Amino acid sequence: MAITTDPPVSPAQRGHRRNRSEFMLELFALLGIFVLVHAFYTAVVRPQASVLLAEQATAMAGDPNYVPERSFWIIAKDPEQEVCFVLGFWAIFVMLHRGLKVTRARRFLEQDFLHLPDGMRVLPEDSREYLRQVEALPPADREQLLPRTLHTALER
């Protein structure tokens, strides 16, 4: 029985996986937001607008000088406005998600991973020891920008 090992994963391949998973998250968020907004439009906005339009039509038929009042429900009932709400909520989701990622990444910029004194040079023979410290981080932490950069620099 042959033992197979997976080939080593390059940093570029890890980046593609990360980008693919982010794309899928944002795509599913868009789909979920569309479903929620469309359900709200179907259950609330369009019925409210229909009732108001019927009331206004009745009032206009009875009084030729009747001026219909503006209403959020009537203005927002059309598909264009629905799409605007979907895209607006999706943009808010993406900005919050990316802001959270930036906040996490900033946390790593304040940490001292290698515990080196200021001005100390890392020699090639010492790099393996420091590389192990970076590799000992939890997988989620290793995927952040600073640990990935340190890992690449120490490997070289």
Side-chain angles (χ1 to χ4, degrees):
M1 178 151 82
I3 297 175
T4 60
T5 59
D6 292 334
V9 178
S10 72
Q13 290 171 329
R14 282 193 304 259
H16 289 297
R17 283 188 199 148
R18 196 171 33 260
N19 291 339
R20 197 173 329 141
S21 66
E22 288 214 10
F23 172 75
M24 294 304 291
L25 174 69
E26 291 175 4
L27 184 68
F28 283 120
L30 176 62
L31 181 65
I33 289 169
F34 172 77
V35 168
L36 291 173
V37 169
H38 187 69
F40 181 73
Y41 260 73
T42 303
V44 178
V45 175
R46 291 196 178 100
Q48 285 282 358
S50 296
V51 168
L52 287 172
L53 286 171
E55 288 174 359
Q56 289 179 356
T58 306
M60 283 192 285
D63 181 11
N65 294 327
Y66 176 77
V67 178
E69 294 181 24
R70 291 185 180 180
S71 169
F72 170 79
W73 305 113
I74 294 172
I75 294 170
K77 72 176 173 35
D78 296 321
E80 293 87 355
Q81 285 76 16
E82 180 179 358
V83 169
C84 285
F85 280 113
V86 168
L87 294 176
F89 288 135
W90 183 52
I92 290 170
F93 170 81
V94 170
M95 288 188 309
L96 289 174
H97 174 69
R98 300 236 171 127
L100 183 63
K101 283 183 58 178
V102 167
T103 302
R104 281 192 211 133
R106 280 188 173 178
R107 183 187 70 189
F108 282 96
L109 293 176
E110 297 169 0
Q111 291 183 0
D112 182 17
F113 288 106
L114 303 179
H115 311 293
L116 294 173
D118 290 340
M120 181 178 168
R121 290 187 177 175
V122 177
L123 301 174
E125 54 270 7
D126 298 333
S127 65
R128 184 71 61 197
E129 175 189 337
Y130 295 120
L131 186 60
R132 278 192 224 109
Q133 291 177 18
V134 175
E135 290 173 344
L137 293 170
D141 290 351
R142 273 185 297 201
E143 293 300 317
Q144 296 296 325
L145 177 64
L146 183 60
R148 282 192 338 240
T149 305
L150 284 172
H151 189 274
T152 303
L154 289 169
E155 277 184 332
R156 290 185 182 176

